[in-house]
Amino acid sequence: MEITGTVRPGFEGVRDVFADVLAGGRAGAAFTVVRHGEVLVDLWGGLADPERGEPWRENTLCVLFSGTKGVVAAVVAALGVLDADAEVRAYWPGFTEGVRVHHVLAHTAGLPYVDADHDLLDSHACAVLLATQAPLWTPGTRVAYHALTYGYLVGELLRRTTGRTPGELVAEVLARPHALDVYLGTPAGLDERVARLVRAPGYRISTFLDDPERRRIVERMYAGLLDSDELMNSARYRRAGLAAGGATGTARSMATLYDLLAAGRIASPRALARATRTWSEGLDAINDRPVHFGLGFELPDPLGTYGPAAAAFGHSGAGGGRHGAWPGAGLGFSFVTNELRAENADGRADRLLAALHDAL
């Protein structure tokens, strides 16, 4: 597949790996690296819509899935309106006692799914249901990824403390001030720029999990979102503004976002240090995957999710997206793709980050 874009001298090896990544797929992707405001790598190619043969363009938007969590974590760190040690009920009267803000942000709240009939795209209604739902464990004693409920909970906390939706805050705090092509609640006028999502053969979630009982919990967590091509490609999904997985963006803007974060231009150095220190770590109690979280950000794990760098933070997304920063190198990176692959069969971002590390 044809590759478009540029690399700075010395980063040709990254371009070679990107070419190989595209050649092994049936859709499209983009990979960007930004260091201190300078674009070192900016590549894209393949098909934004395999059904219609539409090529991936410089301004193609892609659903970020859980890459959205990192965007929302950046908003939380920038605003500083939530005390991580406070009980959720301090901001949200009537919420279950004993759940602290950091339990929500670091996936230890014990509320990984909505235990009632619900519309997964109605964030406020889901938040109301979660407010009185009994946690599966004593908050803080176990860590397990809150795939969708992270967004319902954090989004409601932001709404109650700022009077604005997460989508409005992404625009006001991040996108407009820094000219980022990132949206939480994608406007109708941008629909033609959004890549069509496709699932690779054999795609599935929670590839580390074999236990059938916990597999049923995972199915409740995702509520069928990743099982439906129609739903995840729908305008209704993109408009819903899901703070856990509904944003769209370009690789260039996501890499720029993390470059700005690493440079202390979005959140203060003190706030960023607090958000990117360890708040939870261990084997996911539901998924059997090693995890490591700050306040909304993923941190380096035994799987090498964030590459060879000793220090990193960011957030991955279902199907292969990877977005983050290497503070030691002073850079941000982003890999976006519309071809969803199972984690145990997807080495695309790993290879790109290894090539980037070699180039540095």
Side-chain angles (χ1 to χ4, degrees):
M1 293 185 182
E2 183 178 353
I3 296 172
T4 309
T6 60
V7 296
R8 294 285 182 176
F11 292 86
E12 294 84 0
V14 179
R15 182 176 58 202
D16 292 343
V17 171
F18 185 76
D20 195 44
V21 163
L22 275 187
R26 62 190 184 97
F31 183 61
T32 304
V33 181
V34 181
R35 182 174 63 188
H36 304 311
E38 178 186 10
V39 179
L40 302 180
V41 176
D42 196 22
L43 300 168
W44 62 91
L47 298 174
D49 188 337
E51 291 186 356
R52 298 190 297 173
E54 292 287 339
W56 196 290
R57 295 183 170 84
E58 183 176 6
N59 68 347
T60 293
L61 295 166
C62 192
V63 173
L64 302 174
F65 289 118
S66 286
T68 306
K69 293 181 177 72
V71 175
V72 172
V75 169
V76 172
L79 290 175
V81 295
L82 296 174
D83 178 356
D85 294 315
E87 284 209 35
V88 171
R89 63 191 301 147
Y91 305 104
W92 188 342
F95 199 91
T96 299
E97 187 175 0
V99 182
R100 299 189 180 275
V101 172
H102 70 81
H103 295 149
V104 171
L105 288 165
H107 301 267
T108 64
L111 296 167
Y113 56 81
V114 180
D115 191 18
D117 290 337
H118 64 284
D119 176 357
L120 72 91
L121 301 184
D122 189 336
S123 293
H124 179 67
C126 289
V128 169
L129 292 170
L130 287 167
T132 56
Q133 181 174 311
L136 294 182
W137 55 80
T138 301
T141 61
R142 297 182 184 180
V143 57
Y145 191 53
H146 287 45
L148 293 177
T149 56
Y150 167 97
Y152 304 145
L153 296 169
V154 178
E156 185 68 13
L157 281 166
L158 287 172
R159 188 186 69 81
R160 286 172 178 267
T161 52
T162 70
R164 291 173 172 79
T165 67
E168 290 169 337
L169 291 171
V170 168
E172 293 173 12
V173 176
L174 304 178
R176 286 201 290 268
H178 301 288
L180 300 178
D181 215 2
V182 176
Y183 309 90
L184 183 52
T186 306
L190 299 180
D191 282 346
E192 289 300 313
R193 289 175 49 196
V194 179
R196 179 169 182 79
L197 301 164
V198 297
R199 290 176 294 172
Y203 174 72
R204 66 190 187 106
I205 55 177
S206 302
T207 56
F208 290 80
L209 178 61
D210 294 320
D211 181 80
E213 184 175 342
R214 281 182 287 141
R215 172 66 64 178
R216 287 191 288 273
I217 294 176
V218 169
E219 290 168 357
R220 296 181 72 180
M221 285 168 55
Y222 286 92
L225 173 62
L226 298 176
D227 298 330
S228 171
D229 290 344
E230 181 180 358
L231 177 57
M232 64 185 180
N233 281 299
S234 69
R236 182 170 176 254
Y237 169 55
R238 295 192 296 273
R239 298 282 185 275
L242 296 185
T248 60
T250 64
R252 185 183 301 164
S253 285
M254 289 296 289
T256 299
L257 169 62
Y258 278 101
D259 177 54
L260 292 168
L261 279 165
R265 294 183 54 194
I266 288 178
S268 71
R270 181 179 179 182
L272 184 65
R274 186 167 170 81
T276 57
R277 73 167 175 82
T278 298
W279 287 84
S280 67
E281 186 175 15
L283 196 67
D284 189 300
I286 295 173
N287 282 292
D288 285 344
R289 182 192 190 277
V291 293
H292 187 191
F293 294 110
L295 295 176
F297 293 110
E298 289 179 334
L299 304 177
D301 57 39
L303 299 176
T305 299
Y306 289 91
F313 66 91
H315 215 291
S316 56
R322 197 84 53 87
H323 325 279
W326 290 348
L331 61 77
F333 59 83
S334 174
F335 173 68
V336 299
T337 178
N338 59 334
E339 182 176 3
L340 280 64
R341 296 186 187 177
E343 185 175 22
N344 64 345
D346 186 9
R348 292 171 296 179
D350 296 336
R351 294 177 59 201
L352 287 164
L353 292 179
L356 172 61
H357 191 265
D358 289 347
L360 294 170

